[in-house]
Amino acid sequence: MLSFGIVDDDAVSRRMLQKIIEKGGLGEVVGTAGSGSEGEKVLLETTPDVVVIDLLMPDQDGIETIIRLKEQGYQGKYVMISQIENKEMIGKAYQAGVEFYIQKPINKIEVEAVLSKVNEQWNISRSLQEIKESLTKLSLLHTGPESTRKKRTVREIMQPILMDMGIVGDTGSRDLMDIMEHLARHHKAEGIPPLKELYETVSRCHKVKEADVEKEGKAVEQRIRRTVMAALTHIASIGLTDYSNPKFEHYAPLYFEFQDVRMKMKEIDENSKPEKGKVNIKKFLQVLYLEVTDKMRGEN
């Protein structure tokens, strides 16, 4: 059974939430507080699995409290509750680490539904951790001198990443694979070379004439830009449906700029005409390279 902490400057809200949690069999409330600073102290002492926290509080708001708790090593999950409807504030809350957002006034059915989902995710995470530990133990049995495990190629490592981002069939994905293979073979630094150099390197892989390398390099650039934009759109669509989706949580902050993800989500949500979006190609390639090389090292 999950343990809960409640931080809200409204005593009535605290009592209602505690009643919903405990009467509904969702878990046990191990600590409550009427302010952010008090909540910080109570939560560090009781270390609940989940914190239900108000956004606006007079002394220290919910976002600041979450940031301070994380800095002090607290690793619980957060559910924010507030009357605020400002999308920018809600975006900041998610950026700070909030799993779900519940709108006030408190609705028993909504609270039960959200906290049941938190409970379900917690159980899944625990099961996955147990599976991961079991697999680690098994792999240790097969990593001796006798090990015949076949190391995956760059393309095999990239395949599930591109699938997660919904771009596995894009023509630009082949260019991405060519770039990563080149970097894996010839580049040892953590940073990557200038983009123009990478595009022209891929052009030479296509065996074009030297006189046409620059022209083909520009074509590679355009294909990659379209593919990365498609990945951004796919990830933003996932986040719009479920902000706590593991794919969104992993790829959105890692591969893209937060403001670009937020703008794309707004564009999809409002069904507005797609604008000429911008995307940080350098960051995307840098992170992809680091993720691929990290996985390759893990298999050595």
Side-chain angles (χ1 to χ4, degrees):
M1 182 179 285
L2 289 180
S3 57
F4 286 83
I6 301 171
V7 183
D8 195 316
D9 61 336
D10 180 12
V12 175
S13 293
R14 292 200 302 274
R15 286 196 294 271
M16 284 180 68
L17 288 166
Q18 183 164 1
K19 186 177 179 181
I20 292 169
I21 290 167
E22 295 185 340
K23 293 282 185 183
L26 296 166
E28 177 191 7
V29 176
V30 296
T32 63
S35 71
S37 54
E38 181 193 356
E40 189 182 327
K41 182 181 176 185
V42 169
L43 296 172
L44 289 172
E45 288 174 353
T46 56
T47 60
D49 299 318
V50 182
V51 176
V52 182
I53 186 167
D54 192 14
L55 174 54
L56 296 182
M57 290 181 285
D59 68 327
Q60 182 175 292
D61 68 35
I63 295 173
E64 186 182 350
T65 303
I66 290 171
I67 292 169
R68 288 174 63 88
L69 284 165
K70 285 189 166 186
E71 287 173 350
Q72 295 174 79
Y74 175 70
Q75 296 181 344
K77 292 183 177 292
Y78 299 96
V79 175
M80 186 151 279
I81 184 161
S82 179
Q83 292 177 326
I84 292 290
E85 294 184 12
N86 183 292
K87 285 188 177 181
E88 191 168 338
M89 285 291 287
I90 295 171
K92 286 181 180 177
Y94 280 118
Q95 201 174 14
V98 168
E99 303 274 337
F100 293 95
Y101 190 92
I102 298 174
Q103 192 75 40
K104 281 186 176 180
I106 293 170
N107 178 300
K108 179 175 179 287
I109 294 172
E110 183 184 7
V111 173
E112 285 181 340
V114 169
L115 296 187
S116 293
K117 193 166 183 181
V118 172
N119 209 321
E120 181 184 328
Q121 284 188 352
W122 185 273
N123 289 331
I124 291 170
S125 297
R126 190 170 58 184
S127 298
L128 287 173
Q129 185 59 36
E130 289 172 358
I131 292 169
K132 188 177 178 182
E133 287 171 1
S134 298
L135 289 173
T136 301
K137 289 175 184 175
L138 281 172
S139 68
L140 289 173
L141 296 174
H142 300 282
T143 52
E146 270 91 358
S147 175
T148 56
R149 287 185 310 151
K150 183 183 175 184
K151 293 176 187 174
R152 290 185 297 166
T153 64
V154 169
R155 288 175 183 264
E156 287 169 341
I157 288 171
M158 286 182 67
Q159 196 81 5
I161 297 173
L162 299 179
M163 284 181 70
D164 282 349
M165 288 196 275
I167 54 172
V168 74
D170 286 39
T171 53
S173 290
R174 291 194 285 276
D175 296 314
L176 290 174
M177 286 183 171
D178 288 339
I179 286 175
M180 291 304 131
E181 282 188 327
H182 166 75
L183 291 173
R185 288 195 194 105
H186 307 291
H187 190 71
K188 302 303 175 189
E190 289 202 347
I192 62 173
L195 296 183
K196 186 173 185 289
E197 181 182 321
L198 288 175
Y199 300 148
E200 292 184 356
T201 298
V202 170
S203 301
R204 292 186 178 95
C205 292
H206 298 165
K207 296 181 180 177
V208 299
K209 294 177 182 178
E210 192 60 33
D212 296 328
V213 164
E214 187 175 349
K215 181 181 176 182
E216 177 61 17
K218 289 178 181 176
V220 170
E221 179 182 6
Q222 290 305 312
R223 289 197 296 269
I224 288 178
R225 183 170 295 278
R226 284 195 296 270
T227 296
V228 175
M229 282 300 299
L232 173 62
T233 302
H234 182 73
I235 294 301
S237 299
I238 291 173
L240 204 59
T241 305
D242 180 6
Y243 217 101
S244 63
N245 185 291
K247 289 180 185 177
F248 181 80
E249 288 184 336
H250 176 73
Y251 293 104
L254 202 60
Y255 280 80
F256 305 100
E257 303 291 354
F258 178 74
Q259 61 268 26
D260 295 340
V261 177
R262 187 171 58 181
M263 192 175 294
K264 181 57 70 174
M265 289 173 73
K266 183 181 178 186
E267 181 185 287
I268 296 168
D269 187 38
E270 295 175 355
N271 199 25
S272 55
K273 184 180 177 181
E275 297 179 10
K276 187 178 179 182
K278 61 169 190 159
V279 68
N280 190 335
I281 304 293
K282 181 94 172 180
K283 176 178 179 178
F284 186 94
L285 292 176
Q286 174 74 70
V287 174
L288 182 58
Y289 172 59
L290 289 175
E291 189 158 19
V292 168
T293 52
D294 185 59
K295 290 180 188 296
M296 289 177 72
R297 285 192 204 103
E299 296 184 4
N300 288 338

